Structures are given as structure tokens and as C-alpha cells.
Amino acid sequence: MAVNKNNVKIHVSHLKKNFGNLEVLKDVSADICEGEVVVILGPSGSGKSTFLRCLNRLEDITGGEVIVDGHDLTDKKTNINKVRENVGMVFQHFNLFNNLNVLGNMMLAPTELKKATKAQAKENALRLLTRVGLADKAEAYPAQLSGGQKQRVAIARALAMNPDIMLFDEPTSALDPEMVGEVLQVMKQLASEGMTMVVVTHEIGFAREVASRVIFMEGGYIVEEGTPDEVINHPQQPRTIDFLSKVL
Ligand code: ADP
Ligand code: MG
């Protein structure tokens, strides 16, 4: 699917994020266009999760500018809930509601926030479950699912809001190795359909194959970015080279 350079979905300019005295994001700028799959690599503690969380204002922004789908997230007048409806997020630990079955998890936000009818939400949920290969798990509770199945439900649940943008924070890091592939496969499919995606992952193979761009972060800065071939196969910065030598 082609990247549409004329449509910047996420504009980040000189983003800063502090937690108290701790400067976590020091000066991060990036434009992410429609249809791009941006993979963020970097060592633990470099600010990758904080960066993602700033993109839907799960964190308050200390300085700089974040504009998502034309909405300025630093503007107090922006209706952040409306923006979030368009930005799906998938977490390392799935964050499913354990007291609800799969359909319940998937129907909650569309019925509560988008005022979908139960029938519409259910039909949509079943369609999405089919897409992630879990149509037979509609009535199951999270405790009855494997990690890979839970994460596929979490992705389907995010898609149920019909987002324009999907953010993934280490979606396969909590999975047993044999389940990583089934989740990456769903993400790959989504990418091929043109979804704009920002993915924090240590899956270098996924980055090589699927990313339109790779960003390497360290110490609250973007140290290096480029195509997967540039950043992964021909890194220029010593810190990128060092990181890749540890994970490859
Ligand atoms: P990464 O995802 O790259 O591992 P994070 O964005 O989670 O990094 O964290 C970057 C730094 O910010 C770490 O030093 C972490 O301890 C700190 N940090 C993250 N969230 C908070 C928070 N809510 N309060 C205080 N410090 C935080
Ligand atoms: Mg993280």
C-alpha cells in the first residue's frame, strides 16, 4: 500500500516530556504520513513508550507540538476523546477486561463512545474476529485464551473503533515465542491494507519486512532514522550500531 506523503497523520515537533525532574523526551520531531509503518527501536528506558503515549495524550505533553489528524493535542480546547477514537493502541500486556468475554471487550467502546447499537457492534466485532482468525472465540473469556489469542483480540478490539492510526507498544514482548508469529501476521496484514502504524518492537525481522521507516531512539532523542535497509543493515551512528549488535 502506498504511503501518501501529502497527508501527514502525525506531526511531532520538538516534543519534550518530563516526569518531575526527569527529562524523558528531550527534543523529538517526526512526521508520519498516511499509510506509513514506522517501527521504533531503542534500548529500554529510551522513551519509546512515553513517545507513543504522547501521541494520544495518555501523557501530558511538557513542551513542543503534537498534531494528530489535524488536532493539536497541546491545545486545551481539543476534544481528546474524539482524537483517541481515531487512534487505536495495543499494549504489551493486552489490557483486556477480564470480566468481559471477547465480544464484550470488543463491543464496549463502540456502544459507549460511538453510540453503535449492540447489533451493529456485534456484527462488526464478529467480522473483525474472523479477520484475526478468532471467530470461534467470541464467547470466550480472556483467561481461556493464549497470549497470542489475547493480543489478537486486543488488536481486533482496537480496530472495532475504526481507527485511522494504530499504535503498538511491544505487542509481542510478553508472548511465548511460538505465538509471536500469529500476532505479527495480523499486523502485517493491517499494514498491507494501508493502516498508518507506529510500532515499538524488538522484532527486527518485522521491521525489515514491514516498516516503511525505522526510527532508533536513545536517551530521549531520535538518534537515527531511515529505511529499514539504512538503519538496520547500514547504521551510521555508533549507538545504533551498538544496539543492533546486541539484538541481532
Ligand atoms: P522505553 O519504553 O523506551 O523502555 P519509557 O518511555 O517507558 O522507555 O521510559 C523512559 C523513562 O521514563 C524511564 O526512565 C522511565 O523510568 C521513565 N518513566 C516512564 N513513565 C514514567 C512515569 N509515569 N513516571 C516517572 N517516570 C517515568
Ligand atoms: Mg516501553
Side-chain angles (χ1 to χ4, degrees), residues 149-176:
Q149 290 170 336
K150 280 185 216 178
Q151 196 58 301
R152 284 186 283 150
V153 169
I155 294 170
R157 180 179 63 173
L159 293 175
M161 290 296 279
N162 198 21
D164 273 5
I165 298 168
M166 286 283 286
L167 310 176
F168 294 86
D169 194 357
E170 299 202 34
T172 61
S173 294
L175 300 179
D176 291 332

PDB file of all heavy atoms in Angstrom, residues 149-176:
ATOM      1  N   GLN A 149      -3.616 -15.292  21.334  1.00  0.00           N
ATOM      2  CA  GLN A 149      -5.041 -15.052  21.073  1.00  0.00           C
ATOM      3  C   GLN A 149      -5.500 -13.768  21.757  1.00  0.00           C
ATOM      4  O   GLN A 149      -6.232 -12.971  21.167  1.00  0.00           O
ATOM      5  CB  GLN A 149      -5.868 -16.248  21.548  1.00  0.00           C
ATOM      6  CG  GLN A 149      -5.647 -17.486  20.688  1.00  0.00           C
ATOM      7  CD  GLN A 149      -6.273 -18.743  21.290  1.00  0.00           C
ATOM      8  OE1 GLN A 149      -6.483 -18.826  22.512  1.00  0.00           O
ATOM      9  NE2 GLN A 149      -6.544 -19.721  20.454  1.00  0.00           N
ATOM     10  N   LYS A 150      -5.043 -13.565  22.998  1.00  0.00           N
ATOM     11  CA  LYS A 150      -5.429 -12.329  23.705  1.00  0.00           C
ATOM     12  C   LYS A 150      -4.965 -11.104  22.931  1.00  0.00           C
ATOM     13  O   LYS A 150      -5.690 -10.123  22.808  1.00  0.00           O
ATOM     14  CB  LYS A 150      -4.773 -12.281  25.101  1.00  0.00           C
ATOM     15  CG  LYS A 150      -5.468 -13.111  26.134  1.00  0.00           C
ATOM     16  CD  LYS A 150      -4.814 -12.880  27.500  1.00  0.00           C
ATOM     17  CE  LYS A 150      -4.817 -14.173  28.260  1.00  0.00           C
ATOM     18  NZ  LYS A 150      -4.190 -14.122  29.560  1.00  0.00           N
ATOM     19  N   GLN A 151      -3.744 -11.170  22.409  1.00  0.00           N
ATOM     20  CA  GLN A 151      -3.240  -9.994  21.710  1.00  0.00           C
ATOM     21  C   GLN A 151      -3.988  -9.787  20.390  1.00  0.00           C
ATOM     22  O   GLN A 151      -4.225  -8.643  19.991  1.00  0.00           O
ATOM     23  CB  GLN A 151      -1.720 -10.105  21.484  1.00  0.00           C
ATOM     24  CG  GLN A 151      -1.029  -8.812  21.117  1.00  0.00           C
ATOM     25  CD  GLN A 151      -1.204  -7.704  22.157  1.00  0.00           C
ATOM     26  OE1 GLN A 151      -2.327  -7.303  22.455  1.00  0.00           O
ATOM     27  NE2 GLN A 151      -0.095  -7.225  22.708  1.00  0.00           N
ATOM     28  N   ARG A 152      -4.374 -10.867  19.732  1.00  0.00           N
ATOM     29  CA  ARG A 152      -5.164 -10.699  18.507  1.00  0.00           C
ATOM     30  C   ARG A 152      -6.539 -10.107  18.824  1.00  0.00           C
ATOM     31  O   ARG A 152      -7.070  -9.300  18.062  1.00  0.00           O
ATOM     32  CB  ARG A 152      -5.280 -12.022  17.754  1.00  0.00           C
ATOM     33  CG  ARG A 152      -3.970 -12.371  17.024  1.00  0.00           C
ATOM     34  CD  ARG A 152      -4.112 -13.589  16.163  1.00  0.00           C
ATOM     35  NE  ARG A 152      -4.085 -14.823  16.944  1.00  0.00           N
ATOM     36  CZ  ARG A 152      -4.716 -15.948  16.610  1.00  0.00           C
ATOM     37  NH1 ARG A 152      -5.427 -15.998  15.502  1.00  0.00           N
ATOM     38  NH2 ARG A 152      -4.613 -17.023  17.373  1.00  0.00           N
ATOM     39  N   VAL A 153      -7.116 -10.493  19.973  1.00  0.00           N
ATOM     40  CA  VAL A 153      -8.379  -9.870  20.403  1.00  0.00           C
ATOM     41  C   VAL A 153      -8.153  -8.388  20.685  1.00  0.00           C
ATOM     42  O   VAL A 153      -8.956  -7.531  20.301  1.00  0.00           O
ATOM     43  CB  VAL A 153      -8.948 -10.569  21.661  1.00  0.00           C
ATOM     44  CG1 VAL A 153     -10.106  -9.763  22.251  1.00  0.00           C
ATOM     45  CG2 VAL A 153      -9.411 -11.980  21.323  1.00  0.00           C
ATOM     46  N   ALA A 154      -7.026  -8.068  21.338  1.00  0.00           N
ATOM     47  CA  ALA A 154      -6.745  -6.660  21.659  1.00  0.00           C
ATOM     48  C   ALA A 154      -6.623  -5.831  20.380  1.00  0.00           C
ATOM     49  O   ALA A 154      -7.102  -4.692  20.316  1.00  0.00           O
ATOM     50  CB  ALA A 154      -5.480  -6.549  22.494  1.00  0.00           C
ATOM     51  N   ILE A 155      -6.014  -6.406  19.364  1.00  0.00           N
ATOM     52  CA  ILE A 155      -5.902  -5.695  18.083  1.00  0.00           C
ATOM     53  C   ILE A 155      -7.294  -5.529  17.461  1.00  0.00           C
ATOM     54  O   ILE A 155      -7.670  -4.435  17.023  1.00  0.00           O
ATOM     55  CB  ILE A 155      -4.947  -6.441  17.120  1.00  0.00           C
ATOM     56  CG1 ILE A 155      -3.520  -6.413  17.668  1.00  0.00           C
ATOM     57  CG2 ILE A 155      -5.004  -5.816  15.720  1.00  0.00           C
ATOM     58  CD1 ILE A 155      -2.540  -7.311  16.916  1.00  0.00           C
ATOM     59  N   ALA A 156      -8.063  -6.613  17.465  1.00  0.00           N
ATOM     60  CA  ALA A 156      -9.414  -6.540  16.902  1.00  0.00           C
ATOM     61  C   ALA A 156     -10.266  -5.531  17.674  1.00  0.00           C
ATOM     62  O   ALA A 156     -11.054  -4.786  17.087  1.00  0.00           O
ATOM     63  CB  ALA A 156     -10.066  -7.925  16.925  1.00  0.00           C
ATOM     64  N   ARG A 157     -10.086  -5.505  18.986  1.00  0.00           N
ATOM     65  CA  ARG A 157     -10.845  -4.554  19.806  1.00  0.00           C
ATOM     66  C   ARG A 157     -10.499  -3.110  19.417  1.00  0.00           C
ATOM     67  O   ARG A 157     -11.378  -2.257  19.314  1.00  0.00           O
ATOM     68  CB  ARG A 157     -10.553  -4.775  21.284  1.00  0.00           C
ATOM     69  CG  ARG A 157     -11.307  -3.810  22.186  1.00  0.00           C
ATOM     70  CD  ARG A 157     -11.049  -4.032  23.639  1.00  0.00           C
ATOM     71  NE  ARG A 157      -9.650  -3.801  24.002  1.00  0.00           N
ATOM     72  CZ  ARG A 157      -9.202  -3.796  25.246  1.00  0.00           C
ATOM     73  NH1 ARG A 157     -10.036  -4.049  26.249  1.00  0.00           N
ATOM     74  NH2 ARG A 157      -7.926  -3.586  25.503  1.00  0.00           N
ATOM     75  N   ALA A 158      -9.210  -2.856  19.210  1.00  0.00           N
ATOM     76  CA  ALA A 158      -8.815  -1.501  18.791  1.00  0.00           C
ATOM     77  C   ALA A 158      -9.410  -1.174  17.418  1.00  0.00           C
ATOM     78  O   ALA A 158      -9.888  -0.068  17.175  1.00  0.00           O
ATOM     79  CB  ALA A 158      -7.291  -1.383  18.764  1.00  0.00           C
ATOM     80  N   LEU A 159      -9.421  -2.165  16.523  1.00  0.00           N
ATOM     81  CA  LEU A 159      -9.946  -1.933  15.171  1.00  0.00           C
ATOM     82  C   LEU A 159     -11.452  -1.697  15.173  1.00  0.00           C
ATOM     83  O   LEU A 159     -11.991  -1.098  14.238  1.00  0.00           O
ATOM     84  CB  LEU A 159      -9.610  -3.120  14.267  1.00  0.00           C
ATOM     85  CG  LEU A 159      -8.120  -3.317  13.956  1.00  0.00           C
ATOM     86  CD1 LEU A 159      -7.921  -4.601  13.152  1.00  0.00           C
ATOM     87  CD2 LEU A 159      -7.562  -2.116  13.202  1.00  0.00           C
ATOM     88  N   ALA A 160     -12.124  -2.171  16.222  1.00  0.00           N
ATOM     89  CA  ALA A 160     -13.585  -2.023  16.291  1.00  0.00           C
ATOM     90  C   ALA A 160     -14.007  -0.561  16.347  1.00  0.00           C
ATOM     91  O   ALA A 160     -15.148  -0.228  16.041  1.00  0.00           O
ATOM     92  CB  ALA A 160     -14.140  -2.778  17.501  1.00  0.00           C
ATOM     93  N   MET A 161     -13.098   0.323  16.716  1.00  0.00           N
ATOM     94  CA  MET A 161     -13.405   1.759  16.722  1.00  0.00           C
ATOM     95  C   MET A 161     -13.125   2.390  15.354  1.00  0.00           C
ATOM     96  O   MET A 161     -13.259   3.590  15.190  1.00  0.00           O
ATOM     97  CB  MET A 161     -12.600   2.469  17.807  1.00  0.00           C
ATOM     98  CG  MET A 161     -13.048   2.122  19.216  1.00  0.00           C
ATOM     99  SD  MET A 161     -14.733   2.667  19.543  1.00  0.00           S
ATOM    100  CE  MET A 161     -14.440   4.403  19.903  1.00  0.00           C
ATOM    101  N   ASN A 162     -12.702   1.551  14.423  1.00  0.00           N
ATOM    102  CA  ASN A 162     -12.416   2.026  13.062  1.00  0.00           C
ATOM    103  C   ASN A 162     -11.377   3.161  13.051  1.00  0.00           C
ATOM    104  O   ASN A 162     -11.608   4.236  12.483  1.00  0.00           O
ATOM    105  CB  ASN A 162     -13.719   2.473  12.391  1.00  0.00           C
ATOM    106  CG  ASN A 162     -13.582   2.551  10.895  1.00  0.00           C
ATOM    107  OD1 ASN A 162     -12.679   1.917  10.325  1.00  0.00           O
ATOM    108  ND2 ASN A 162     -14.416   3.335  10.260  1.00  0.00           N
ATOM    109  N   PRO A 163     -10.225   2.913  13.674  1.00  0.00           N
ATOM    110  CA  PRO A 163      -9.228   3.978  13.790  1.00  0.00           C
ATOM    111  C   PRO A 163      -8.509   4.240  12.472  1.00  0.00           C
ATOM    112  O   PRO A 163      -8.471   3.391  11.594  1.00  0.00           O
ATOM    113  CB  PRO A 163      -8.237   3.402  14.816  1.00  0.00           C
ATOM    114  CG  PRO A 163      -8.315   1.922  14.599  1.00  0.00           C
ATOM    115  CD  PRO A 163      -9.755   1.642  14.250  1.00  0.00           C
ATOM    116  N   ASP A 164      -7.929   5.428  12.396  1.00  0.00           N
ATOM    117  CA  ASP A 164      -7.094   5.825  11.254  1.00  0.00           C
ATOM    118  C   ASP A 164      -5.645   5.466  11.491  1.00  0.00           C
ATOM    119  O   ASP A 164      -4.853   5.397  10.553  1.00  0.00           O
ATOM    120  CB  ASP A 164      -7.108   7.357  11.116  1.00  0.00           C
ATOM    121  CG  ASP A 164      -8.249   7.827  10.283  1.00  0.00           C
ATOM    122  OD1 ASP A 164      -9.067   6.982   9.896  1.00  0.00           O
ATOM    123  OD2 ASP A 164      -8.304   9.029  10.020  1.00  0.00           O
ATOM    124  N   ILE A 165      -5.307   5.375  12.777  1.00  0.00           N
ATOM    125  CA  ILE A 165      -3.920   5.194  13.185  1.00  0.00           C
ATOM    126  C   ILE A 165      -3.898   4.109  14.250  1.00  0.00           C
ATOM    127  O   ILE A 165      -4.776   4.063  15.112  1.00  0.00           O
ATOM    128  CB  ILE A 165      -3.373   6.514  13.792  1.00  0.00           C
ATOM    129  CG1 ILE A 165      -3.377   7.642  12.756  1.00  0.00           C
ATOM    130  CG2 ILE A 165      -1.978   6.317  14.393  1.00  0.00           C
ATOM    131  CD1 ILE A 165      -3.137   9.031  13.351  1.00  0.00           C
ATOM    132  N   MET A 166      -2.884   3.235  14.181  1.00  0.00           N
ATOM    133  CA  MET A 166      -2.729   2.222  15.237  1.00  0.00           C
ATOM    134  C   MET A 166      -1.339   2.351  15.856  1.00  0.00           C
ATOM    135  O   MET A 166      -0.334   2.391  15.145  1.00  0.00           O
ATOM    136  CB  MET A 166      -2.906   0.820  14.650  1.00  0.00           C
ATOM    137  CG  MET A 166      -4.348   0.466  14.315  1.00  0.00           C
ATOM    138  SD  MET A 166      -5.345   0.025  15.766  1.00  0.00           S
ATOM    139  CE  MET A 166      -4.702  -1.603  16.135  1.00  0.00           C
ATOM    140  N   LEU A 167      -1.311   2.390  17.176  1.00  0.00           N
ATOM    141  CA  LEU A 167      -0.059   2.440  17.926  1.00  0.00           C
ATOM    142  C   LEU A 167       0.136   1.098  18.623  1.00  0.00           C
ATOM    143  O   LEU A 167      -0.793   0.577  19.248  1.00  0.00           O
ATOM    144  CB  LEU A 167      -0.108   3.548  18.991  1.00  0.00           C
ATOM    145  CG  LEU A 167      -0.558   4.937  18.527  1.00  0.00           C
ATOM    146  CD1 LEU A 167      -0.642   5.880  19.730  1.00  0.00           C
ATOM    147  CD2 LEU A 167       0.388   5.494  17.469  1.00  0.00           C
ATOM    148  N   PHE A 168       1.313   0.534  18.503  1.00  0.00           N
ATOM    149  CA  PHE A 168       1.612  -0.761  19.125  1.00  0.00           C
ATOM    150  C   PHE A 168       2.826  -0.605  20.032  1.00  0.00           C
ATOM    151  O   PHE A 168       3.892  -0.198  19.577  1.00  0.00           O
ATOM    152  CB  PHE A 168       1.958  -1.803  18.056  1.00  0.00           C
ATOM    153  CG  PHE A 168       0.831  -2.166  17.139  1.00  0.00           C
ATOM    154  CD1 PHE A 168       0.566  -1.408  16.004  1.00  0.00           C
ATOM    155  CD2 PHE A 168       0.033  -3.277  17.390  1.00  0.00           C
ATOM    156  CE1 PHE A 168      -0.474  -1.741  15.143  1.00  0.00           C
ATOM    157  CE2 PHE A 168      -1.001  -3.623  16.535  1.00  0.00           C
ATOM    158  CZ  PHE A 168      -1.256  -2.855  15.400  1.00  0.00           C
ATOM    159  N   ASP A 169       2.676  -0.939  21.311  1.00  0.00           N
ATOM    160  CA  ASP A 169       3.812  -0.842  22.231  1.00  0.00           C
ATOM    161  C   ASP A 169       4.285  -2.240  22.619  1.00  0.00           C
ATOM    162  O   ASP A 169       3.695  -2.882  23.474  1.00  0.00           O
ATOM    163  CB  ASP A 169       3.436  -0.040  23.479  1.00  0.00           C
ATOM    164  CG  ASP A 169       4.672   0.361  24.275  1.00  0.00           C
ATOM    165  OD1 ASP A 169       5.795  -0.039  23.892  1.00  0.00           O
ATOM    166  OD2 ASP A 169       4.513   1.069  25.288  1.00  0.00           O
ATOM    167  N   GLU A 170       5.308  -2.698  21.976  1.00  0.00           N
ATOM    168  CA  GLU A 170       5.887  -4.035  22.196  1.00  0.00           C
ATOM    169  C   GLU A 170       4.804  -5.119  22.259  1.00  0.00           C
ATOM    170  O   GLU A 170       4.688  -5.846  23.241  1.00  0.00           O
ATOM    171  CB  GLU A 170       6.729  -4.043  23.484  1.00  0.00           C
ATOM    172  CG  GLU A 170       7.893  -3.065  23.414  1.00  0.00           C
ATOM    173  CD  GLU A 170       9.010  -3.413  24.389  1.00  0.00           C
ATOM    174  OE1 GLU A 170       9.230  -4.623  24.620  1.00  0.00           O
ATOM    175  OE2 GLU A 170       9.653  -2.482  24.894  1.00  0.00           O
ATOM    176  N   PRO A 171       4.022  -5.232  21.187  1.00  0.00           N
ATOM    177  CA  PRO A 171       2.855  -6.126  21.229  1.00  0.00           C
ATOM    178  C   PRO A 171       3.209  -7.603  21.360  1.00  0.00           C
ATOM    179  O   PRO A 171       2.338  -8.397  21.723  1.00  0.00           O
ATOM    180  CB  PRO A 171       2.168  -5.857  19.884  1.00  0.00           C
ATOM    181  CG  PRO A 171       3.254  -5.359  18.992  1.00  0.00           C
ATOM    182  CD  PRO A 171       4.145  -4.545  19.889  1.00  0.00           C
ATOM    183  N   THR A 172       4.448  -7.965  21.072  1.00  0.00           N
ATOM    184  CA  THR A 172       4.788  -9.391  21.153  1.00  0.00           C
ATOM    185  C   THR A 172       5.774  -9.703  22.279  1.00  0.00           C
ATOM    186  O   THR A 172       6.179 -10.849  22.450  1.00  0.00           O
ATOM    187  CB  THR A 172       5.387  -9.903  19.822  1.00  0.00           C
ATOM    188  OG1 THR A 172       6.590  -9.172  19.535  1.00  0.00           O
ATOM    189  CG2 THR A 172       4.409  -9.727  18.674  1.00  0.00           C
ATOM    190  N   SER A 173       6.127  -8.691  23.064  1.00  0.00           N
ATOM    191  CA  SER A 173       7.184  -8.904  24.067  1.00  0.00           C
ATOM    192  C   SER A 173       6.768  -9.818  25.215  1.00  0.00           C
ATOM    193  O   SER A 173       7.622 -10.409  25.866  1.00  0.00           O
ATOM    194  CB  SER A 173       7.647  -7.568  24.640  1.00  0.00           C
ATOM    195  OG  SER A 173       8.280  -6.821  23.633  1.00  0.00           O
ATOM    196  N   ALA A 174       5.460  -9.898  25.476  1.00  0.00           N
ATOM    197  CA  ALA A 174       5.017 -10.737  26.597  1.00  0.00           C
ATOM    198  C   ALA A 174       4.606 -12.134  26.136  1.00  0.00           C
ATOM    199  O   ALA A 174       4.104 -12.918  26.934  1.00  0.00           O
ATOM    200  CB  ALA A 174       3.845 -10.055  27.303  1.00  0.00           C
ATOM    201  N   LEU A 175       4.822 -12.427  24.862  1.00  0.00           N
ATOM    202  CA  LEU A 175       4.318 -13.692  24.312  1.00  0.00           C
ATOM    203  C   LEU A 175       5.386 -14.778  24.316  1.00  0.00           C
ATOM    204  O   LEU A 175       6.576 -14.500  24.125  1.00  0.00           O
ATOM    205  CB  LEU A 175       3.852 -13.478  22.868  1.00  0.00           C
ATOM    206  CG  LEU A 175       2.734 -12.467  22.661  1.00  0.00           C
ATOM    207  CD1 LEU A 175       2.422 -12.357  21.174  1.00  0.00           C
ATOM    208  CD2 LEU A 175       1.496 -12.867  23.440  1.00  0.00           C
ATOM    209  N   ASP A 176       4.923 -16.010  24.479  1.00  0.00           N
ATOM    210  CA  ASP A 176       5.827 -17.136  24.250  1.00  0.00           C
ATOM    211  C   ASP A 176       6.233 -17.114  22.773  1.00  0.00           C
ATOM    212  O   ASP A 176       5.437 -16.736  21.914  1.00  0.00           O
ATOM    213  CB  ASP A 176       5.116 -18.457  24.569  1.00  0.00           C
ATOM    214  CG  ASP A 176       4.858 -18.604  26.058  1.00  0.00           C
ATOM    215  OD1 ASP A 176       5.636 -18.026  26.852  1.00  0.00           O
ATOM    216  OD2 ASP A 176       3.873 -19.266  26.428  1.00  0.00           O
TER     217      ASP A 176
END
